[in-house]
Amino acid sequence: MKYQSFVGLEIHIQLISKTKVFCSCPNHFGDEPNSNVCPVCLGYPGALPSLNEEAVFKALKVCKALDCYINEKVIFDRKNYFYPDMPKNYQITQFESPFGVDGFFNLELDDGSIKKIRIHDVHLEEDAGKMIHDGYQSRLDYNRAGTPLLEIVTEPDLVAGRDAELFVQQFRQMVRYLDVTDGNMEEGSLRCDANTSINLPGKGLGTKTEVKNLNSSRFVNKALTYEIKRHGKVIDKGGEIIQETRLWDEKTSTSKSMRTKEDSHDYRYFPEPDLPPYRVTDVLMKEVEDSMVELPNDRKKRYMDDLKLSFDQAAFITGERKTADWFDSLLSIGSDANQAASWLSGDIQKILNKEDVLLENSPFIPKRIKELFELINDKKISNNIGKEVLQAIFKEDKDPSVIVKDKGLEQVSDSGAVEKIVEEVLAAHPAVVDAVRAGDDKQVGFLMGQLMKATGGKVNPQMAREIIVNKIKLDISGDSQSRDPKIIEKGSEK
Amino acid sequence: MSIKSDRWQNLLSDDSLWKSYNEYVNKWEKSIGSFLQFDADKTKGDSSSDGLLKGMPFGVKDNIAVKGFDMTCGSKILENFNCPYTSTAVQKLQGAGAVVVGKMNMDEFGMGSSTDNSALGETNNPWDKSRVAGGSSGGSAASVAAGQVPFALGSDTGGSVRQPASFCGVYGLKPTYGTVSRYGLTAYASSLETIGICAESTAITRDVFNTMKGIDNMDNTTVDYKPSGKDDTEIIAVLKVGENDLSEDVLNSYRVSQQRLKDLGYKLIEVELPTLKYVVPAYYVIATAEASANLARFNGIRYGLAQKGAETPSDLMQMSRNSGFGDEVKLRILLGTYVLRSGFQDQYYHRAQKIRTAILNDFNRIFEEADALMLPVFPTAAFRHGSSDLTQLQQKAADLYTCSANLAGLPALAVPSTIEKGLPVGVQFTAPAFEEERLFRISEKLEEIFPAQKPEGFSEEWKI
Amino acid sequence: MEKSELLKTAALAKLKLDEQEADKLAVEVTAMLENFSLMMEADVEGLEPTTQTLQQENRTRSDSPGSSNLSNDLLDRVPEREDRFIVIPNVI
Ligand SMILES: [Mg+2]
Ligand SMILES: [Zn+2]
């Protein structure tokens, strides 16, 4: 690679709250246009902002998770520019002294190595309304105007499109863990702007361009990969990069210029006189710390190191916090980690996918799964019957013990009873018995299958296999002491 | 001492009294034009039938929200803008039984010292119709002076309540910043302005202030009211003024008030405010900077004037703002935008904020020695309409005595002092934050010696 | 102040000035800026800026929805609308 590349991200997340950040209108998606509006969020003359404490709390949670320095005196600023989706024509945001600065995020790269990505700052601001363009006019809906938005700005520590994609994915996972946003990129709950520059090694940052409104982590990768390549081509030809904002066009897989620096804004930031500075107290910070959860990458590491789960299993289970919480609560009542992990990532997930139900909303409550494991581990049912029971738990929303009892699925482990059934099966298939005797061990499987068929799978399979093998092979060895005369008889008949 | 509200007890319930009240107000309206809207019936139902201010009619400057009335801010951009909500301050007064009877004329968005900058009407001084009532709360002061209402709300960003009060011979209070909620007050310069009171007596001023003050969840800049408890004054600092600082009439009036204070037994000490010469530029930098953002919301999209024929949103905004705003408003928006532009902030905006600290330090030094400070309100008495007496620039420079209190957030009260050549002249007192009561007590003592005078045509006959 | 600076400032403030207006305002703005330059004499060495109010305590609101909904009243005041949408010329 001839050039060094630098990528920084600005990520906006919509915070979960009951009301907007500066007024008590509902913060709710999907309502009738302009129904969640009031004099404050419509920028009426005389209306004033009033800060939502929940937004403050959630902002601090993110700051804490990113290990930011929390400013003692947090100041809101006005960012001035005219745009129809912004009622006051200034945005209340934070500029000089935001909630958090100088944090970092441990990004896990594809090879498993960790890269520290520095966080420039975390600031709280208000969102704009929505504009729908149709032909000759634009329609405005201000329901979203004034909803709480948290902006996280990274330093240009990312190198390639793939890094940025991973960052968006892992960051999204983290903020979902923190329960501060739903992180839905398609709906705009998590929005990403990416800036990039390239330069010869050792020369520092180059002239940057910014790509706006990337609404999936894949597009982040594609757009940045494209931009880095484009910069390289321009510089190779002796050209200069123009500092500008560009838009990613997914249809053509190219970026195109939106506005250059010349017509960029002069935002004229100044402290918001309607909001006094906010001083973060130790008491509040303690509450924030108490509310923190183990973050996904830490949890994944713990699962691999302490529980010896595979990377894939650990990654799967920690993908969603609710899944990991479910897993932990199953372990906390005494289930084995490996058994839990393989069932969770296997049959349980299969059913949930097929039925399109979330684990936390399913009848698979940890207590039931623990009971299921015990039935299997105590050999009261076979592993295969266990799968059947799992299906039944989902369909009937009942405890496994009840299902096993109702359906009479309890495994037959009484050796006398098993022997009796084995004998019947062997008698019915003398040719196969001969084949086994002749050394074709694979045919034992056939006999097992027949046995299971005959019993509805209820026979303890290990015991059954042992008995089958013993009955046939012992016959060969001629160990009469343990021979079952009936089988010998049958065998001799042949 | 509290007001005797029995004078107003029956105004609402007695039809013939109500009728004669309407007639009296309308008679004055022909000559002074203090109201932009007068409708004594419109919001009667929103007022409590009981309370400290029971039945008392009052006017509200037209930049303060009263549901049912329009709120024009004296601007074409809000002409016919019917206000859908009520400000906290007015709600509290209505809760105490007072009745909004109309909206008062003002300089457009509070920008001016004459009310001549109103796009929607002219207001004359009740003492001399060829002269201005002052501004920007000119309608409020004029209506009180004429006896149309016993009090009216104004707003004071750099002297906009005290200066017209002085011009019209009534009491004018700018409260401590943050003691009266600004929710519902159309913002001009948010960090400087407060809702203020023009009133016919100190007692009414006090009761209205005490009714309005208090923390409001809708205004995060409202503060806990925490006076020192030392309500009586022994020492009054008097700002030293030079022969050329004030007109002859005002200087004379200033000396008269000084003598009265001495006679009343106050100990007077003469002081200077070294930062005073910088307060006008600092004030205008901060006020215009904040105004440039506060007035950005008027863009023809959600309410107010929308110019037809625009082809782009940008056109719509520019055309609406261009035809909706008057010259003075445009000038101040341009100035405010300029001083905030990158590269100019340090020189203007940041420096002005430091001067703000310097004036506050000046005041603090004085209040270490004195309980209150006396200073002039305005260098002249009411001037003539137009710029024959004072140009717009001179009018701005004359804000120096009033705007210091806004920069420092302190309470200040204009008190009628004398009548000079047929025109009232007031004097101003300021005190540390939350010491309004100290100002009221000084004012009451002066009121006993020299109560507010009444212009010709003033009558209370309709009340009988 | 240069007229070009004035027009640049006007554009930021979404004001469209015609020639005559611009000339007149240029004179007035210049006069005010001269007045502002008086501040340069002031000794502000070591002074912290006062940007805010007397408010020293944190002021926040609990995250609970308001009881009244004015949205229909507010929509009634919109100059151009289509059903519940506010309508403006298209953004190019
Ligand atoms: Mg932002
Ligand atoms: Zn709202």
Side-chain angles (χ1 to χ4, degrees):
Chain A
M1 200 63 179
K2 191 160 140 203
Y3 300 108
Q4 242 182 324
S5 53
F6 306 89
V7 171
L9 299 176
E10 286 172 22
I11 298 179
H12 288 91
I13 53 174
Q14 286 183 332
L15 296 181
I16 297 167
S17 63
K18 292 191 194 75
T19 66
K20 294 186 179 183
V21 61
F22 298 123
C23 66
S24 43
C25 285
N27 173 18
H28 192 255
F29 179 79
D31 291 330
E32 268 198 297
N34 294 306
S35 56
N36 298 331
V37 292
C38 74
V40 178
C41 58
L42 266 199
Y44 259 60
L48 297 171
S50 178
L51 180 62
N52 182 343
E53 64 183 13
E54 184 63 22
V56 171
F57 193 79
K58 294 213 158 107
L60 288 170
K61 274 178 91 167
V62 174
C63 290
K64 180 75 197 158
L66 292 172
D67 223 6
C68 287
Y69 171 76
I70 308 291
N71 274 311
E72 279 144 49
K73 199 165 134 184
V74 175
I75 293 170
F76 288 93
D77 293 280
R78 291 185 182 179
K79 179 180 182 181
N80 296 285
Y81 63 99
F82 282 82
Y83 206 70
D85 63 4
M86 201 169 54
K88 299 185 296 297
N89 289 307
Y90 59 81
Q91 181 194 33
I92 303 179
T93 178
Q94 299 177 329
F95 185 62
E96 282 289 336
S97 187
F99 274 108
V101 290
D102 294 338
F104 67 87
F105 183 84
N106 281 331
L107 180 67
E108 195 178 295
L109 300 175
D110 284 323
D111 64 3
S113 66
I114 300 289
K115 186 169 185 203
K116 242 187 173 90
I117 306 301
R118 290 171 300 153
I119 302 296
H120 179 272
D121 79 274
V122 175
H123 62 263
L124 179 63
E125 58 190 26
E126 54 183 338
D127 207 345
K130 274 187 179 158
M131 282 176 89
I132 302 155
H133 309 296
D134 61 10
Y136 65 100
Q137 63 180 22
S138 297
R139 293 186 295 166
L140 285 159
D141 173 9
Y142 290 106
N143 280 350
R144 199 183 65 183
T147 56
L149 207 56
L150 197 69
E151 182 172 341
I152 295 91
V153 183
T154 77
E155 297 287 357
D157 290 348
L158 299 154
V159 172
R162 175 62 184 162
D163 289 0
E165 180 178 13
L166 288 171
F167 185 93
V168 172
Q169 287 169 350
Q170 291 170 31
F171 176 81
R172 176 178 178 275
Q173 193 187 24
M174 185 192 84
V175 287
R176 282 173 58 81
Y177 261 63
L178 294 173
D179 205 21
V180 297
T181 182
D182 68 26
N184 188 328
M185 287 190 84
E186 272 161 50
E187 281 178 12
S189 315
L190 190 154
R191 284 168 255 162
C192 186
D193 302 337
N195 59 66
T196 180
S197 74
I198 66 166
N199 216 340
L200 289 168
K203 295 264 183 182
L205 301 173
T207 306
K208 69 176 180 184
T209 56
E210 187 182 26
V211 189
K212 281 225 176 274
N213 294 333
L214 296 161
N215 62 0
S216 90
S217 56
R218 205 165 50 86
F219 295 168
V220 171
N221 187 351
K222 282 172 82 179
L224 284 167
T225 305
Y226 175 88
E227 274 299 286
I228 290 169
K229 220 179 262 170
R230 189 182 67 81
H231 282 214
K233 277 188 208 157
V234 171
I235 293 173
D236 280 345
K237 276 191 230 153
E240 255 180 60
I241 296 297
I242 307 161
Q243 187 173 337
E244 62 184 353
T245 302
R246 298 175 72 87
L247 274 183
W248 176 247
D249 183 350
E250 182 51 26
K251 276 186 211 120
T252 60
S253 283
T254 55
S255 70
K256 57 175 187 242
S257 182
M258 193 171 119
R259 59 167 186 258
T260 60
K261 200 196 172 199
E262 275 74 64
D263 45 56
S264 81
H265 305 288
D266 178 346
Y267 292 121
R268 291 163 283 133
Y269 287 98
F270 73 95
E272 166 57 273
D274 291 332
L275 292 168
Y278 187 89
R279 289 169 183 85
V280 180
T281 62
D282 293 346
V283 176
L284 181 63
M285 246 6 249
K286 176 79 175 43
E287 273 179 53
V288 169
E289 275 157 37
D290 290 347
S291 78
M292 291 309 278
V293 295
E294 189 183 20
L295 296 176
N297 282 350
D298 298 336
R299 204 157 185 176
K300 190 164 70 186
K301 195 169 175 312
R302 176 166 67 85
Y303 286 173
M304 288 162 68
D305 293 353
D306 298 358
L307 304 180
K308 309 293 176 211
L309 299 191
S310 71
F311 175 88
D312 286 344
Q313 274 181 333
F316 170 78
I317 295 167
T318 53
E320 291 290 344
R321 180 179 149 196
K322 289 200 167 123
T323 309
D325 285 349
W326 185 95
F327 178 74
D328 278 355
S329 76
L330 181 55
L331 263 51
S332 74
I333 53 176
S335 288
D336 171 67
N338 270 301
Q339 188 174 26
S342 64
W343 275 79
L344 180 53
S345 57
D347 290 276
I348 291 178
Q349 196 53 40
K350 222 180 285 166
I351 295 172
L352 295 173
N353 285 349
K354 190 168 151 248
E355 306 287 340
D356 198 19
V357 173
L358 291 171
L359 177 61
E360 60 269 25
N361 301 335
S362 76
F364 298 142
I365 49 179
K367 198 176 100 332
R368 283 175 173 167
I369 303 303
K370 185 206 172 202
E371 199 181 290
L372 175 66
F373 289 170
E374 281 170 355
L375 288 168
I376 294 168
N377 298 344
D378 296 347
K379 309 212 173 353
K380 296 216 169 98
I381 57 172
S382 68
N383 213 51
N384 277 340
I385 292 286
K387 292 179 185 191
E388 220 175 279
V389 173
L390 189 73
Q391 291 279 3
I393 295 173
F394 186 87
K395 292 226 167 67
E396 296 168 25
D397 196 5
K398 283 182 190 154
D399 289 349
S401 55
V402 175
I403 292 163
V404 167
K405 200 166 161 229
D406 286 358
K407 297 191 190 260
L409 293 174
E410 189 136 358
Q411 182 162 272
V412 181
S413 297
D414 166 42
S415 61
V418 175
E419 268 183 46
K420 191 164 167 283
I421 303 162
V422 169
E423 281 162 18
E424 283 165 19
V425 169
L426 294 186
H429 302 281
V432 180
V433 173
D434 284 346
V436 174
R437 194 172 290 139
D440 186 358
D441 282 351
K442 274 185 221 146
Q443 296 295 332
V444 175
F446 171 80
L447 294 171
M448 280 294 290
Q450 292 303 311
L451 184 83
M452 288 298 170
K453 208 163 132 195
T455 60
K458 283 190 293 180
V459 175
N460 179 330
Q462 252 170 308
M463 185 183 276
R465 178 176 276 271
E466 242 166 64
I467 293 174
I468 291 174
V469 171
N470 283 345
K471 279 196 189 294
I472 299 175
K473 299 258 165 112
L474 288 182
D475 188 36
I476 302 168
S477 72
D479 181 352
S480 57
Q481 277 175 333
S482 59
R483 269 159 96 180
D484 184 320
K486 276 180 197 161
I487 290 184
I488 296 166
E489 268 168 36
K490 276 177 187 164
S492 336
E493 271 167 25
K494 255 233 118 178
Chain B
M1 195 174 81
S2 188
I3 48 168
K4 290 190 243 53
S5 58
D6 54 303
R7 264 170 72 199
W8 314 101
Q9 296 274 340
N10 301 322
L11 188 63
L12 287 176
S13 50
D14 185 327
D15 285 347
S16 75
L17 197 59
W18 190 247
K19 192 165 160 270
S20 58
Y21 171 66
N22 274 269
E23 279 165 14
Y24 179 78
V25 170
N26 281 310
K27 193 192 78 181
W28 265 106
E29 269 313 276
K30 291 191 185 78
S31 60
I32 60 169
S34 59
F35 284 90
L36 283 172
Q37 242 187 319
F38 175 75
D39 186 340
D41 288 304
K42 196 185 268 298
T43 60
K44 256 198 311 197
D46 296 337
S47 295
S48 161
S49 58
D50 207 3
L52 181 65
L53 308 173
K54 182 180 167 183
M56 193 182 280
F58 71 107
V60 178
K61 188 177 181 177
D62 209 20
N63 59 352
I64 300 171
V66 183
K67 187 179 175 162
F69 282 101
D70 289 351
M71 176 162 72
T72 69
C73 298
S75 180
K76 278 200 288 188
I77 210 159
L78 286 176
E79 198 172 1
N80 306 319
F81 170 71
N82 185 262
C83 193
Y85 76 108
T86 298
S87 56
T88 303
V90 168
Q91 250 175 26
K92 287 190 169 191
L93 294 170
Q94 288 175 324
V99 184
V100 181
V101 293
K103 301 299 292 289
M104 315 316 298
N105 198 12
M106 58 182 285
D107 286 305
E108 186 174 358
F109 287 107
M111 298 177 178
S113 312
S114 62
T115 309
D116 284 353
N117 292 343
S118 169
L120 304 174
E122 186 178 295
T123 296
N124 301 322
N125 193 309
W127 292 80
D128 178 347
K129 319 293 185 290
S130 71
R131 289 175 189 270
V132 301
S136 63
S137 312
S140 303
S143 66
V144 174
Q148 293 175 309
V149 285
F151 78 92
L153 297 187
S155 64
D156 193 313
T157 312
S160 282
V161 161
R162 290 160 286 159
Q163 185 256 27
S166 174
F167 279 16
C168 295
V170 301
Y171 297 83
L173 175 71
K174 177 209 110 60
T176 305
Y177 185 87
T179 57
V180 175
S181 169
R182 288 183 294 118
Y183 189 75
L185 166 65
T186 304
Y188 156 26
S190 318
S191 77
L192 300 167
E193 66 206 359
T194 61
I195 284 179
I197 305 156
C198 289
E200 62 176 30
S201 70
T202 309
I204 291 180
T205 311
R206 176 194 279 122
D207 282 351
V208 171
F209 170 69
N210 284 329
T211 302
M212 290 196 299
K213 74 172 197 270
I215 286 189
D216 180 12
N217 283 334
M218 302 301 277
D219 177 359
N220 280 0
T221 64
T222 50
V223 290
D224 256 340
Y225 199 70
K226 38 191 179 217
S228 67
K230 186 185 183 309
D231 294 334
D232 287 312
T233 291
E234 289 141 49
I235 304 167
I236 297 178
V238 176
L239 182 72
K240 185 179 171 186
V241 290
E243 293 288 327
N244 300 322
D245 293 338
L246 306 175
S247 75
E248 211 185 305
D249 297 337
V250 175
L251 188 63
N252 181 51
S253 183
Y254 195 61
R255 301 243 154 95
V256 170
S257 279
Q258 214 170 317
Q259 186 56 47
R260 284 187 194 138
L261 292 173
K262 247 185 240 168
D263 297 345
L264 284 166
Y266 291 110
K267 188 182 168 212
L268 304 187
I269 50 171
E270 198 173 57
V271 295
E272 289 181 76
L273 283 168
T275 317
L276 197 62
K277 57 184 165 189
Y278 307 120
V279 297
V280 168
Y283 164 73
Y284 275 97
V285 166
I286 294 165
T288 58
E290 291 181 5
S292 72
N294 282 330
L295 271 60
R297 68 190 62 202
F298 304 105
N299 65 354
I301 294 179
R302 288 149 296 121
Y303 51 79
L305 183 126
Q307 200 63 21
K308 299 275 174 209
E311 283 174 7
T312 67
S314 189
D315 260 4
L316 172 65
M317 294 194 256
Q318 286 191 341
M319 289 161 69
S320 303
R321 290 165 67 77
N322 228 48
S323 55
F325 290 140
D327 292 346
E328 185 63 29
V329 174
K330 284 181 195 163
L331 170 65
R332 295 195 194 192
I333 289 175
L334 283 171
L335 275 168
T337 306
Y338 184 77
V339 299
L340 285 175
R341 274 177 53 183
S342 69
F344 303 110
Q345 279 216 1
D346 275 340
Q347 182 183 350
Y348 295 115
Y349 187 72
H350 293 144
R351 197 170 188 86
Q353 300 288 25
K354 288 179 182 170
I355 289 176
R356 203 169 171 175
T357 310
I359 189 74
L360 189 57
N361 291 345
D362 274 0
F363 279 125
N364 285 341
R365 255 191 309 275
I366 289 170
F367 292 135
E368 273 168 26
E369 295 177 69
D371 304 312
L373 167 68
M374 172 175 129
L375 63 175
V377 180
F378 199 79
T380 70
F383 49 86
R384 274 182 284 266
H385 285 294
S387 37
S388 56
D389 286 346
L390 284 177
T391 65
Q392 289 272 355
L393 197 60
Q394 285 169 324
Q395 289 177 29
K396 291 189 179 83
D399 284 340
L400 81 165
Y401 300 116
T402 45
C403 72
S404 331
N406 299 83
L407 288 167
L410 304 180
L413 180 66
V415 178
S417 170
T418 59
I419 304 294
E420 303 287 338
K421 302 199 185 87
L423 293 174
V425 174
V427 64
Q428 181 181 205
F429 295 91
T430 180
F434 311 115
E435 303 299 342
E436 273 83 356
E437 182 55 32
R438 226 181 259 177
L439 301 180
F440 296 145
R441 293 197 182 185
I442 296 168
S443 177
E444 255 164 2
K445 292 212 166 136
L446 290 169
E447 192 175 3
E448 278 173 33
I449 302 168
F450 183 82
Q453 305 295 294
K454 309 297 182 192
E456 202 185 312
F458 180 93
S459 158
E460 286 186 298
E461 261 172 50
W462 62 267
K463 287 176 191 159
I464 303 154
Chain C
M1 185 201 248
E2 298 280 327
K3 209 160 110 186
S4 63
E5 282 294 309
L6 183 84
L7 293 175
K8 203 169 156 186
T9 308
L12 283 171
K14 279 278 181 283
L15 289 171
K16 201 183 243 166
L17 306 177
D18 58 38
E19 282 294 309
Q20 213 187 338
E21 227 178 349
D23 288 334
K24 182 173 152 276
L25 279 164
V27 175
E28 290 173 22
V29 168
T30 306
M32 283 301 284
L33 289 178
E34 262 166 42
N35 178 263
F36 290 176
S37 66
L38 255 179
M39 290 194 306
M40 299 312 284
E41 294 170 14
D43 180 16
V44 294
E45 197 57 38
L47 291 180
E48 284 291 309
T50 299
T51 56
Q52 292 285 345
T53 64
L54 299 163
Q55 181 62 265
Q56 291 300 309
E57 272 130 52
N58 287 336
R59 293 293 309 280
T60 52
R61 173 177 58 78
S62 75
D63 185 28
S64 42
S67 48
S68 67
N69 189 328
L70 279 181
S71 68
N72 290 337
D73 287 348
L74 302 181
L75 274 181
D76 285 345
R77 286 155 176 85
V78 169
E80 289 286 341
R81 58 184 270 213
E82 204 180 273
D83 302 324
R84 294 192 66 92
F85 281 108
I86 297 170
V87 170
I88 57 169
N90 200 359
V91 175
I92 295 164

